[in-house]
Amino acid sequence: MSAAAMRQVLETLALMLAPLAPYLSQEIWEELGKQDPVFRQPWPVYDPELAREDEAEIVVQVNGKVRSRISAPFGAAPPELERYALADEKVRTAIAGKTVVK
């Protein structure tokens, strides 16, 4: 992790810790070279783009037992998900010689 990223993490940690441990967060804030009181700073802003994931983890079960986990893009159609599941080696060994119902 770069020094700039670590500094941003520590600043955010101090801000979020301030309501629970004001003295500790003020110490962290001052160690970071900040002069103003930590409780007078604005709350960190949530960025939904940073929290967005590209793929979902899908659990594949055979006869009620988890056999594998696959990753698929969000919004994938059920036939596409079935194709991903049937392509998995663990699933293929679990359904060998059996009829897939659903």
Side-chain angles (χ1 to χ4, degrees):
M1 183 180 287
S2 69
M6 181 59 85
R7 183 172 183 82
Q8 184 179 5
V9 167
L10 290 173
E11 287 176 4
T12 304
L13 174 67
L15 290 171
M16 294 177 72
L17 191 60
L20 303 173
Y23 295 109
L24 177 63
S25 62
Q26 185 63 40
E27 287 291 323
I28 295 170
W29 196 249
E30 289 174 5
E31 286 293 322
L32 291 171
K34 306 288 186 174
Q35 299 300 322
D36 299 334
V38 69
F39 64 87
R40 294 197 186 258
Q41 304 305 313
W43 193 252
V45 178
Y46 170 73
D47 186 2
E49 191 61 32
L50 292 175
R52 186 177 59 86
E53 299 218 15
D54 296 332
E55 291 187 334
E57 183 180 56
I58 310 293
V59 177
V60 181
Q61 293 184 350
V62 177
N63 291 334
K65 296 180 183 170
V66 175
R67 299 297 181 181
S68 183
R69 297 173 192 274
I70 58 173
S71 294
F74 282 104
E80 187 177 358
L81 294 175
E82 186 176 335
R83 187 171 41 86
Y84 288 149
L86 293 175
D88 189 83
E89 183 63 34
K90 293 178 186 176
V91 174
R92 278 191 282 162
T93 58
I95 62 172
K98 298 177 184 174
T99 304
V100 177
V101 178
K102 57 179 174 175

